[in-house]
Amino acid sequence: MSTATTDPSAELAELGKFFTIAARRIDAGETGPEMFSAAIDAAWHALVADPAAHEVFALQHAGRRLTHVESKGFGPIAWVAAYEEAYGPLPEIWFTDADGAVNTEAVTQYRETGTVIAEWDCGPKPGPGDGDDLTPAASYL
């Protein structure tokens, strides 16, 4: 593993792209995408700490409220092809932990195979007031 210097705006830029992909998946009747990047998830958690800012960010990037929910799993990341079609290859930040260490083995595997096999523990769901009343209003974390 190597250590990367990360810029918080890079994490937020990628979170915005992730939210856009989430909205497209939800609109297509698919499950929300898996959040497998600890670095980007840390930025998401920081944003969730300010519910008003989180709502503005989600509306800007997903066109709806999104709620951060626990969703554990391991396997192929289903949304990578949609990301690549919209934005190009995943940047290293997706393979970076919350401390800034890049998992170079995972980056290499992705670059060689075009697939990401990873563990995740959360993802987005439509939030309250966007037509999905299954998510409790107080559930921002």
Side-chain angles (χ1 to χ4, degrees):
M1 292 212 193
S2 69
T3 300
T5 302
T6 58
D7 174 0
S9 63
E11 284 93 338
L12 285 176
E14 290 303 311
L15 183 61
K17 293 174 185 177
F18 179 77
F19 278 18
T20 299
I21 297 294
R24 290 177 187 165
R25 290 181 59 86
I26 291 164
D27 289 346
E30 300 172 342
T31 60
E34 309 89 349
M35 172 52 75
F36 72 92
S37 170
I40 297 169
D41 190 40
W44 192 1
H45 280 261
L47 189 59
V48 165
D50 181 347
H54 183 266
E55 181 172 347
V56 167
F57 187 87
L59 290 171
Q60 177 184 4
H61 295 282
R64 72 194 72 215
R65 292 178 176 124
L66 292 175
T67 303
H68 183 278
V69 295
E70 186 175 313
S71 173
K72 294 184 181 290
F74 176 83
I77 302 301
W79 54 269
V80 172
Y83 180 101
E84 291 171 335
E85 184 177 309
Y87 307 110
L90 291 170
E92 268 189 5
I93 192 69
W94 280 101
F95 304 92
T96 303
D97 70 16
D99 296 323
V102 176
N103 182 336
T104 55
E105 184 179 320
V107 172
T108 299
Q109 178 186 0
Y110 164 64
R111 289 186 178 151
E112 290 176 355
T113 67
T115 60
V116 176
I117 309 292
E119 185 175 348
W120 63 89
D121 62 7
C122 63
K125 287 212 181 234
D130 67 355
D132 180 347
D133 294 325
L134 299 175
T135 306
S139 175
Y140 279 97
L141 280 176

